[in-house]
Amino acid sequence: MTEETFYLTTPIYYVNATPHLGHAYTTILADTMARFQRLRLGPDRVYFLTGTDEHGDKVAQAAAKAGEAPQAYADRISAIFRDTWDRLGLTPNQFIRTTSEHHKLTVQRFLQTIHDSGDIYFGEYGGHYCFGCERFYTEKELQDGRCPDHQTAPTFIKEENYFFRMGKYQAWLIDYINTHPDFIRPERYRNEVLAFLKEPLEDLCVSRPRTRLAWGIPLPFDGQFVTYVWFDALINYISALGWPDDERFRRFWPCAQHLIAKDILKPHAIYWPTMLRAAGITPCRHLNVHGYWKIEEAKMSKSLGKVVRPLDLAESYGVDAFRYFLLREMTFGLDASFSEESLVARLNADLANDLGNLYSRVLKLIERYYSGNITDWTYDETLSEASRAAYAQVAGAMEHFAFSEALGAIWNLISATNKYLVTHEPWKRNPEDARTRAVIFTAAETLRRIAVLLLPFMPGSAERMLRGLGIDEDSSSIRLDEDLGLRLLDRSRKRQVQEMPALFPRVETATPKPPEKRKRTAASSEVSPDEITIEEFRRLDLRVAEIVEAAEVPGSRKLVQLRVRLKDEVRTVVAGLREQYPLDTWPGKQVILVANLKPSTLMGIRSEGMVLAAEDDQGRIVLLMPEQPIPPGSKVR
Ligand code: MSP
């Protein structure tokens, strides 16, 4: 039987700009997946690659603009990428640079191989060339026939170049995609590629004359030309493994998975598999494609009048909270919005409250009742089932890069543990009672399992949780199986639980301040769940909403479907008030909305919030409304 291995790559980023949120996102996803697979398979069976793409006009132009030689410029920017990944705690096995000697030789070897087999030919290319940009434009890229940057009409020039016979592989590629349905995923991107392949596939120009672009790898069969970008960049995925002879290529290429965003789908789904085919290499196993982050400028704070860059927020709020937000907020394959406001909301609700409070509550009980000492008391099976289910869901979701779904499953286990404590109320029981011990041990043991599951997603915090629980084993010795590393941890040892500072301090948001100055307060120290604290009350986001329109919910007499406006946002909310308030009475009304209620689907309609109403003893229901008109979106306090 061949051993199971895992090879994951990110795009190699252009060094014409410094790292931004999008680059960080892909690399964080890859890091999470690599850490997950290391936990599952062991570190030696996983290989995670990232790096920088350093040749071509874009980089040559950026270097010229910076007044630097291309190599010195590429060295400088590439180092910034590498440093940023270090600061974010990312763990690639290799950081490849396309200007390394090894990569250049591999590109030449690859080109020679397909040139020898007759798939590269010399021909003429005609196109719209802008001398200002020093590049060709396609008809589509031109605006009113002009260069979009220089607003000048391009010159139609003909140039001799080398071409790859890509068209020859069109039928093979269509067949390959059809017979490997999960080669490109999610499915929407597979469909996009198949739609594109309905048109005839043209051959691909793979060179630029040296007279026009000197910053590239010389073609091995004609020194007057350099390799044009994709034929250089894509090959990084195999040159990093030492293609063709290295042992790493043999071990890791058969299980290769690429991770990219939708912007570079075409080169990865069309150029790359056909190039590999021409060289006699099988394509990667999965091409995983994610969506784009859009940055909501209005919801990003400014410090000293300077725009806060998303990456700076990793420093202000902590790397793990930043990772959590990115992984949880975007559904893999779809676009999402990034704002500081939503990051803080998630930090406070999911991390400080759900997870952080559970953790500190359990640790405090152990400290208070048993001076921090717990041994292997009985584990209550109620939560055992829930933790097995969480493991199975996480493993299933991670198979197809559904990071948000995986975190959702872990949060279900967190809620189940919170509920378990509320049901058994150990804080009201005699500490020496066997049942109290079992309840507290069970909660602590489930927390340990939660920490193990969280290791790939929030490595620093998960390690802190384990240490707080008295487990000081090196986390790389933990294996993720359905017992969540249980067998590898010494269960019979006495554990010394240590109270630690709050895992995720809440961030006060009442008066937005620049991140550096924002006050962080420790999580509430209350153990009893009978009352809520002012912080807990503040988690409710109550807003004034104005009804734009009301419609029936097909198949329901009680429900009404409302479109409600909050400042500049319009949402759909489903309310059970159709009988009390006929459709035509709604438009223009101002109501109170629970705006941060988890969305739910009612009769097939997604409802994003809840309208508040009061009910008397006879069951009469009336809407709660502001006493005077007030701008929609106003906060209820
Ligand atoms: N150098 C090429 C890739 C060659 S791979 C053989 C390139 N570089 S890039 O610097 O432009 O990086 C593009 C990638 O950065 C995207 O595919 C994605 O991984 C990431 N992102 C850049 N902006 C992004 C968003 N706004 N949102 C999400 N990810 C995005 O293309």
Side-chain angles (χ1 to χ4, degrees), residues 54-55 96-105 217 239:
E54 306 183 10
H55 291 122
I96 192 172
R97 299 186 53 190
T98 55
T99 52
S100 71
E101 282 316 307
H102 173 78
H103 175 76
K104 291 193 231 172
L105 289 173
I217 303 173
S239 77

Side-chain angles (χ1 to χ4, degrees), residues 356-397:
N357 281 353
L358 169 65
Y359 176 76
S360 67
R361 174 182 280 177
V362 172
L363 260 59
K364 279 196 171 83
L365 280 168
I366 298 174
E367 176 63 36
R368 198 209 273 172
Y369 283 3
Y370 314 113
S371 310
N373 293 309
I374 47 168
T375 50
D376 193 6
W377 296 327
T378 3
Y379 186 61
D380 197 330
E381 282 305 305
T382 1
L383 284 180
S384 175
E385 199 42 52
S387 57
R388 292 236 155 85
Y391 166 76
Q393 285 158 9
V394 170

Side-chain angles (χ1 to χ4, degrees), residues 11-14 20 22-23 26 53 230 237 261 263-264 290 292-293:
I12 46 171
Y13 307 112
Y14 285 130
H20 60 64
H23 303 131
T26 314
D53 188 355
W230 289 105
Y237 299 135
D263 56 334
I264 48 177
H290 66 74
Y292 244 52
W293 282 100

Side-chain angles (χ1 to χ4, degrees), residues 169-181 190 194 197:
Y169 294 101
Q170 178 165 14
W172 167 81
L173 182 58
I174 296 173
D175 182 61
Y176 189 85
I177 297 173
N178 283 327
T179 50
H180 298 80
R190 169 177 185 265
L194 284 173
L197 286 170

